[in-house]
Amino acid sequence: MNELEEIELQKEYIKKVKELNKNKILKYNILTMGCQLNENDSEKICGMLEEMGYIATDNIEEASLAIFNTCCVRENAEEKLFGKIGELKNIRKNNNLIIAIGGCMMQEKHIIEKIKKSFPYVDIIFGTHTLHKLPENLYKVIESKQKVKDIIDINGKVYENLPIKRESKIIGSVTIMYGCNNFCSYCIVPYVRGRERSRKPDDIINEVKELAKNGYKEIVLLGQNVNSYLRSEMEEIRAGKRTDEKGLYSKIDSFAKLLREINKIEGIERIRFISPHPKDFTDDVIDAIKDSNKVSKLIHLPLQSGSTKMLRAMNRKYTKEEYLNLVQKMKEKIPEVKFSTDIIVGFAGETEEDFEDTLDVVRKVGFEQVYMFIYSIRKGTPGEKMENQIPEEIKHKRFDKLKHIVEDIMAENNKAYIGTNQKVLVEGLSKNNEEFLSGRTDSNKIVVFKGNKSLIGKLVNIKIVSEHMWYLKGEI
Ligand code: 5AD
Ligand code: SF4
């Protein structure tokens, strides 16, 4: 069966489950852990469930189906998941709750063992490559009360046309590629998400056009390593291992060209992408960002560490100087460019001196946002086997120090916004005060201001009048 036929088959199962559930009001409760790729996967899970007749609920007590979409990038998610499944044991007895667990953590053998042993009442276990088969798996459970484990280890394929129920009506996430080939030595992702594979340009362009037609204003392009979009495919074509008879890649054959094409789509006002890898940030991408007026000038550029020695240990394939040079080059080419980043503190072998190198880069770049992580040893990665693991206490100390420095830089950056005019995409009412609207600048700063509800979903010019740690206040 090819991918198209597989999805057609699942659509049949959607109808079958709907038929089985006829005349019943069935609700589902979903918990999503982890990154925006997982959130986008969950939107597809919800899309399938709603076509099967399920309705979303936040109250697990009234749900007939509990779904977990898991993450395994750091250890704390495991504890959280096991706690939650444990809580369901009694609820399950009361109302025949079906429990389905999927996502990255399910691609890890030791997790499956643990679930089988400690939580034998879980009904469906599915992995990252079998998400699209949820209708079939659910059908089996409802129809014949069997337990289903549907995990495959091969590199998944790319499935199109799954139903989707989006969280936002203004900002739409679009996954452009799956998997990762980089094997950074701390990271579990390549083991649970398989090798890189890109969606076809036309499928992406059509999805963005559809979003624009439905009033979406911002697009977030997602992938583990977006600037190697189509790289494996083009390498295969060049090596003669794949042909492009249909001319699928004749117009768009790289991330830079994809950006330029999406920039042309009418109705879309802002384009973001996460995450690129510094080693793959080629000049054509920098030029595309510069030339494309809708592409946000806030670039998320994961640093991980500022020490060349640590970067080598992490298998990141760039040095401190190369990272700083890249930042410098972008600042010269794109005057308004700003940066956000990811940093891991306390990877194996990190000395005070290495950590100081990280602080040095943080100060030199002046990041708008820093997502900070304490290194969490992942089973099966090279990092697990490294000697010189850093004691938790030291990791936490360094983390706190980094956090203070980042907050000082943020406060400094925030001050520079006062008195400036910012284009703010209005997302909705402010959570803390309904008299205010809330939106984001191109640089992803939250701005609250007084205004009419009719501005929701629009780009509005706002003058910034004051700054607060996590948001700016402005006036129309
Ligand atoms: N421990 C801590 N942080 C990690 N990340 C990835 N793997 C780990 C790990 N084992 C962080 C990286 C990555 C972000 C998504 O999560 O900084 O960029
Ligand atoms: Fe993990 Fe590195 Fe791939 Fe990012 S690029 S998903 S950190 S292996």
Side-chain angles (χ1 to χ4, degrees):
M1 233 188 310
N2 66 27
E3 291 88 331
L4 253 158
E5 288 161 349
E6 277 186 58
I7 293 301
E8 284 311 309
L9 177 67
Q10 293 310 316
K11 289 198 169 154
E12 288 304 312
Y13 276 109
I14 286 181
K15 282 186 207 148
K16 283 188 189 172
V17 175
K18 196 169 182 174
E19 187 61 30
L20 280 181
N21 288 343
K22 205 168 60 182
N23 303 327
K24 292 183 201 147
I25 299 176
L26 293 180
K27 298 189 177 173
Y28 71 94
N29 177 272
I30 186 163
L31 176 76
T32 306
M33 298 168 167
C35 66
Q36 294 195 42
L37 279 141
N38 252 18
E39 281 170 19
N40 192 228
D41 279 348
S42 282
E43 291 184 332
K44 290 169 194 161
I45 293 174
C46 296
M48 290 188 274
L49 290 176
E50 303 224 343
E51 290 222 343
M52 288 184 259
Y54 287 89
I55 305 167
T57 176
D58 289 335
N59 181 0
I60 187 75
E61 305 271 347
E62 59 174 34
S64 332
L65 173 64
I67 297 237
F68 296 90
N69 188 9
T70 62
C71 165
C72 56
V73 166
R74 284 169 292 273
E75 189 178 2
N76 47 14
E78 285 170 22
E79 302 307 317
K80 184 174 167 188
L81 176 74
F82 296 147
K84 291 271 176 199
I85 318 175
E87 283 167 21
L88 293 185
K89 194 171 181 181
N90 289 330
I91 300 176
R92 187 179 174 275
K93 274 191 211 130
N94 301 342
N95 62 356
N96 286 326
L97 179 73
I98 294 174
I99 303 173
I101 312 182
C104 294
M105 220 190 276
M106 297 307 112
Q107 297 287 139
E108 296 183 286
K109 288 203 177 68
H110 69 280
I111 299 281
I112 303 279
E113 295 301 317
K114 163 93 181 172
I115 291 180
K116 275 195 186 154
K117 212 167 100 200
S118 308
F119 313 101
Y121 50 86
V122 168
D123 298 284
I124 303 173
I125 296 177
F126 61 99
T128 54
H129 306 303
T130 46
L131 173 142
H132 63 286
K133 282 172 66 195
L134 186 62
E136 179 178 344
N137 291 333
L138 200 52
Y139 180 81
K140 285 182 188 159
V141 172
I142 302 171
E143 168 78 334
S144 53
K145 308 264 178 299
Q146 56 181 303
K147 303 260 181 253
V148 180
K149 179 181 149 222
D150 191 9
I151 313 272
I152 48 173
D153 270 337
I154 59 141
N155 297 317
K157 300 173 186 168
V158 175
Y159 296 96
E160 296 295 339
N161 293 324
L162 285 177
I164 184 159
K165 183 201 168 206
R166 294 184 178 275
E167 273 290 309
S168 162
K169 296 203 172 338
I170 300 163
I171 303 172
S173 302
V174 177
T175 301
I176 63 167
M177 61 185 303
Y178 301 88
C180 181
N181 290 354
N182 290 323
F183 292 92
C184 302
S185 43
Y186 50 80
C187 186
I188 190 80
V189 168
Y191 306 89
V192 298
R193 290 252 171 200
R195 293 299 68 71
E196 282 175 7
R197 54 220 182 263
S198 296
R199 288 178 67 197
K200 296 192 181 75
D202 281 353
D203 289 327
I204 298 171
I205 297 290
N206 289 338
E207 184 174 345
V208 178
K209 281 186 177 160
E210 187 65 25
L211 285 166
K213 209 171 84 191
N214 290 321
Y216 282 80
K217 295 288 182 272
E218 181 173 312
I219 297 297
V220 187
L221 304 174
L222 301 175
Q224 305 296 349
N225 185 11
V226 288
N227 45 7
S228 57
Y229 172 68
L230 284 183
R231 181 189 291 163
S232 317
E233 287 77 2
M234 297 321 292
E235 275 171 7
E236 282 180 21
I237 290 175
R238 263 176 243 123
K241 288 187 200 149
R242 179 199 278 256
T243 54
D244 183 23
E245 283 158 11
K246 292 185 191 154
L248 293 172
Y249 309 109
S250 57
K251 202 157 133 202
I252 299 174
D253 60 4
S254 67
F255 182 59
K257 288 188 190 160
L258 181 72
L259 275 184
R260 287 180 188 273
E261 284 305 310
I262 293 181
N263 194 62
K264 291 181 194 159
I265 296 175
E266 222 171 289
I268 298 302
E269 310 261 17
R270 191 179 276 164
I271 304 160
R272 300 188 192 279
F273 55 87
I274 40 176
S275 290
H277 193 303
K279 78 174 164 62
D280 297 315
F281 223 111
T282 43
D283 286 350
D284 60 335
V285 178
I286 302 177
D287 291 337
I289 296 168
K290 176 172 168 255
D291 296 342
S292 306
N293 62 328
K294 298 172 185 175
V295 173
S296 165
K297 302 301 182 260
L298 175 78
I299 306 301
H300 186 68
L301 196 62
L303 170 67
Q304 312 303 1
S305 169
S307 146
T308 296
K309 185 194 100 196
M310 292 314 295
L311 289 167
R312 200 177 310 122
M314 289 173 159
N315 192 29
R316 291 290 290 176
K317 302 198 171 78
Y318 53 86
T319 63
K320 175 185 182 184
E321 287 68 33
E322 281 164 346
Y323 185 94
L324 286 172
N325 288 343
L326 175 63
V327 165
Q328 191 51 33
K329 178 158 75 176
M330 285 167 78
K331 282 184 175 171
E332 278 162 21
K333 279 197 173 181
I334 313 168
E336 65 273 44
V337 78
K338 291 182 158 76
F339 295 93
S340 60
T341 200
D342 291 348
I343 290 175
I344 298 176
V345 171
F347 185 62
E350 186 187 70
T351 61
E352 277 306 315
E353 210 182 336
D354 294 319
F355 179 59
E356 282 300 323
D357 269 331
T358 298
L359 300 182
D360 186 43
V361 176
V362 166
R363 290 194 189 98
K364 283 192 169 125
V365 180
F367 294 107
E368 285 289 299
Q369 272 159 333
V370 180
Y371 300 90
M372 294 166 272
F373 307 103
I374 289 176
Y375 174 53
S376 164
I377 301 175
R378 305 287 65 211
K379 249 202 175 88
T381 61
E384 183 200 5
K385 288 163 204 84
M386 288 182 185
E387 287 167 12
N388 309 325
Q389 298 290 345
I390 308 298
E392 289 303 313
E393 198 191 317
I394 296 181
K395 288 186 193 170
H396 279 89
K397 255 197 191 139
R398 289 183 188 160
F399 182 89
D400 290 343
K401 185 165 178 191
L402 174 64
K403 189 162 162 269
H404 274 118
I405 291 171
V406 165
E407 283 175 0
D408 285 349
I409 294 172
M410 270 179 68
E412 215 35 55
N413 286 343
N414 281 351
K415 277 189 205 144
Y417 280 88
I418 296 177
T420 62
N421 288 321
Q422 298 288 328
K423 274 197 177 141
V424 173
L425 177 60
V426 188
E427 291 174 24
L429 298 176
S430 161
K431 280 193 194 108
N432 302 325
N433 184 345
E434 298 224 329
E435 273 179 44
F436 285 82
L437 296 174
S438 170
R440 281 173 195 267
T441 63
D442 181 76
S443 55
N444 212 25
K445 285 270 177 212
I446 296 174
V447 176
V448 297
F449 62 97
K450 264 199 175 136
N452 193 290
K453 268 190 201 165
S454 62
L455 294 175
I456 295 173
K458 298 214 165 76
L459 263 187
V460 186
N461 270 319
I462 301 289
K463 184 170 179 163
I464 305 302
V465 293
S466 64
E467 56 94 11
H468 308 260
M469 193 65 197
W470 302 109
Y471 68 97
L472 305 170
K473 226 178 208 173
E475 288 166 0
I476 294 181

